[in-house]
Amino acid sequence: MSTLTSAAEAARRELGAGFAGQLIGPEDKRYDEGRAVYNGMIDKRPALIARCAGPDDVVRVVEFVRDRDIDLAVRGGGHNGAGLGTVDDGVVADLSLLRDVQVDPEARTVRVGGGCTWGEVDRATNEHGLAVPSGIISTTGVGGLTLGGGLGHLTRRYGLTIDNLLEAEMVLANGERVRASADEHPDLYWAVRGGGGNFGVVTSFLFRLHPVDVVVGGPTFWPVEQAAEVLSAYREFLPEAPRELNGFFAFHTVPPAPPFPEEIHMRKVCGVVWCFLGSEEEAAKAMAPLLDSAPEPLMHGPHSMPHPALQSAFDGLYPHGDQWYWRADFVREVPDEAVRLHARFGQEMPTLKSTMHLYPVDGAAHDLAPSDTPWSYRDANWATVYAGVDPDPENADAIRKWSIDYFEALHPHSSGGAYVNMMMDEGQDRVRASYRDNYDRLARIKAIYDPYNMFHINQNVEPDQG
Ligand SMILES: Cc1cc2nc3c(=O)[nH]c(=O)nc-3n(C[C@H](O)[C@H](O)[C@H](O)COP(=O)(O)OP(=O)(O)OC[C@H]3O[C@@H](n4cnc5c(N)ncnc54)[C@H](O)[C@@H]3O)c2cc1C
């Protein structure tokens, strides 16, 4: 019997009949499907995958690993680029069975299980013409995205996902179940709004909802050769645009499929992916200053659609299992030299799915002060991500190299840190740089709730030893 198999056997005996969910070890038929995470580059072999059926199962798993000093990874949607939802030789607390979504349209809140993905939440809330600000791909997990911050199409109007988090029900490292909110454990409530999975397992989230039903969404594309001109116009335009308008700048290769016109299939482009809250006429007015100052686009596609349709627009292009390697930064401005470098790297995208996104983090995200939540870059105007993506492992080196070269060239023009949800395993200095002055406070709260760093498979905040 292999070491992994015997560890799984021991866990089965120990967790045994009281465990309501599924226990999957290396000998199990479901093991390969169970250990796979979104990023195909990550290939880890846990000793046990514990699919928890409810908070009591989570408590059992936490107590089991605590008594044995085994590594514990907590998995929400499994989307993390660095593969932080799994671990070699340890136990994965897989929350994918915790998928309950309860909308309260009167109170304008939604309670969401810790293993939900955003598509499920968007569909349930859209039935009431409501939404939580989240990310741009519906298969991303609510857990990791929320705990790291959460930015997407609604950021400029309604803030980050954490700015709309009212409560988190959690299992702590000592096995205790608590609620973190403005009234209960306010220090913990502060910490989970950006501090990642460092403080415990969140079994359910309570979010504030906003009136978002039909939006005007879609891309405008220009030839990649015009990137310098378009980006120069965009960097002036976006910070002045109304909050109802969100538009992230992007490099893409046009996929060879509808709704894109055949004549631009497989063409490298730069573009803006829009989301406007209002009518098509109002959207055209809000976008006009950019469209009037930039060259004639190849395609201008924004139109009215239900919010969940925009939220899932990228899903087909980016399925589970592709190879991903990305780097990220926050930026306050995009100076001329940065524009020149972006234009160069955009033209050098190594594969069809590789991309760069420059996500706005201004507007409502600036309404909070840097110390109001751990997400300290409230003064940044954009979060950049340089993502090398391809289905073929043969191209792993090429996408990794492009992403790192791009990052290293642009990093001198950044604010220093990055959005933790878009980082790889980049070391402790980088985690500190991303939390800036908030790091020490996070470390003190970590020392209270997780003094032995049980929750360390994440962008780790080490407990303050002082
Ligand atoms: C294709 C793609 C698109 C993305 N788009 C966006 C975007 O638009 N906006 C954005 O903000 N981010 C985006 N991200 C980044 C995303 O927020 C992170 O990858 C995030 O970590 C994913 O969360 P998850 O639950 O799916 O990940 P997992 O891999 O399951 O977990 C990631 C981390 O969070 C912890 N965690 C997860 N759930 C819980 C929980 N319930 N309790 C405690 N800890 C938990 C895990 O332990 C781990 O450390 C995207 C990622 C991908 C791959």
Side-chain angles (χ1 to χ4, degrees):
M1 191 187 280
S2 76
T3 323
L4 282 188
T5 308
S6 52
E9 281 306 315
R12 266 208 189 89
R13 274 197 306 275
E14 185 79 18
L15 290 163
F19 191 83
Q22 304 160 8
L23 297 173
I24 303 170
E27 75 297 347
D28 201 298
K29 279 203 291 290
R30 297 165 295 177
Y31 182 67
D32 280 333
E33 166 255 319
R35 73 187 179 90
V37 290
Y38 180 83
N39 184 356
M41 232 183 235
I42 311 290
D43 182 22
K44 301 217 165 148
R45 302 188 72 82
L48 182 76
I49 299 153
R51 276 196 185 135
C52 302
D56 290 344
D57 278 356
V58 177
V59 172
R60 282 196 180 85
V61 173
V62 163
E63 289 178 341
F64 175 78
V65 299
R66 186 192 61 199
D67 294 345
R68 278 167 189 77
D69 199 20
I70 301 174
D71 281 337
L72 173 68
V74 178
R75 186 184 307 165
H79 248 231
N80 190 269
L84 297 173
T86 186
V87 62
D88 272 330
D89 303 331
V91 172
V92 174
D94 177 339
L95 307 179
S96 60
L97 299 178
L98 305 185
R99 294 190 107 100
D100 201 27
V101 181
Q102 289 170 20
V103 185
D104 183 339
E106 263 80 66
R108 288 212 170 159
T109 59
V110 60
R111 189 170 288 284
V112 177
C116 274
T117 53
W118 281 107
E120 294 157 323
V121 180
D122 290 335
R123 280 191 298 277
T125 59
N126 190 254
E127 281 180 22
H128 305 275
L130 299 167
V132 185
S134 62
I136 63 156
I137 296 199
S138 81
T139 54
T140 309
V142 172
L145 181 137
T146 301
L147 294 168
L151 47 95
H153 293 300
L154 302 179
T155 302
R156 298 190 79 236
R157 179 64 183 88
Y158 293 118
L160 303 171
T161 308
I162 46 172
D163 303 343
N164 297 282
L165 178 64
L166 300 171
E167 277 178 25
E169 292 193 339
M170 302 180 65
V171 175
L172 302 179
N174 65 4
E176 198 187 337
R177 288 179 61 184
V178 299
R179 177 176 298 142
S181 70
D183 303 321
E184 294 176 71
H185 301 283
D187 53 350
L188 188 58
Y189 177 56
W190 180 84
V192 296
R193 285 176 295 154
N198 273 288
F199 303 92
V201 184
V202 179
T203 52
S204 84
F205 297 89
L206 183 72
F207 294 106
R208 183 186 300 119
L209 287 163
H210 297 281
V212 177
D213 189 354
V214 171
V215 301
V216 181
T220 305
F221 287 145
W222 291 265
V224 75
E225 295 76 16
Q226 290 176 336
E229 235 175 307
V230 177
L231 182 52
S232 299
Y234 169 84
R235 73 181 171 183
E236 306 300 326
F237 160 78
L238 200 272
E240 302 300 322
R243 288 183 175 198
E244 286 72 21
L245 184 65
N246 204 94
F248 65 84
F249 183 88
F251 288 119
H252 276 285
T253 303
V254 179
F260 305 106
E262 250 181 81
E263 60 274 18
I264 64 168
H265 283 181
M266 297 304 289
R267 191 156 171 182
K268 282 183 182 168
V269 293
C270 68
V272 177
V273 180
W274 304 103
C275 173
F276 181 78
L277 301 174
S279 68
E280 288 188 1
E281 267 176 9
E282 292 163 330
K285 221 162 117 192
M287 294 169 193
L290 178 68
L291 296 172
D292 292 347
S293 60
E296 186 67 22
L298 289 170
M299 171 187 168
H300 181 64
H303 59 279
S304 293
M305 60 179 78
H307 177 246
L310 179 62
Q311 292 292 94
S312 51
F314 279 103
D315 290 6
L317 183 60
Y318 294 120
H320 202 274
D322 284 347
Q323 307 274 307
W324 281 74
Y325 189 91
W326 60 14
R327 289 293 182 94
D329 261 325
F330 284 118
V331 302
R332 206 180 157 89
E333 277 158 10
V334 188
D336 289 346
E337 176 59 8
V339 169
R340 196 185 64 72
L341 289 164
H342 277 298
R344 191 187 112 203
F345 281 97
Q347 298 196 38
E348 292 174 1
M349 276 185 298
T351 57
L352 186 153
K353 297 189 184 197
S354 294
T355 182
M356 188 284 292
H357 288 175
L358 198 55
Y359 296 111
V361 290
D362 63 339
H366 281 194
D367 290 348
L368 275 74
S371 61
D372 285 347
T373 67
W375 212 87
S376 80
Y377 279 89
R378 298 283 178 174
D379 53 351
N381 285 315
W382 287 278
T384 49
V385 65
Y386 317 107
V389 190
D390 197 70
D392 188 351
E394 291 276 308
N395 289 329
D397 288 344
I399 60 175
R400 189 185 290 113
K401 182 173 177 349
W402 176 77
S403 169
I404 292 174
D405 289 351
Y406 198 161
F407 164 77
E408 285 180 351
L410 269 296
H411 185 63
H413 302 286
S414 77
S415 302
Y419 174 34
V420 289
N421 272 346
M422 293 183 176
M423 277 164 49
M424 298 307 271
D425 185 359
E426 298 173 43
Q428 201 58 27
D429 287 351
R430 195 86 174 113
V431 177
R432 271 185 181 270
S434 299
Y435 288 119
R436 294 199 288 194
D437 293 347
N438 292 329
Y439 186 90
D440 290 344
R441 184 171 170 194
L442 283 170
R444 286 194 297 275
I445 299 172
K446 176 85 171 173
I448 298 169
Y449 291 97
D450 184 19
Y452 303 110
N453 209 0
M454 172 189 282
F455 302 109
H456 64 274
I457 312 287
N458 43 44
Q459 299 296 349
N460 196 230
V461 173
E462 291 170 353
D464 182 5
Q465 302 297 344

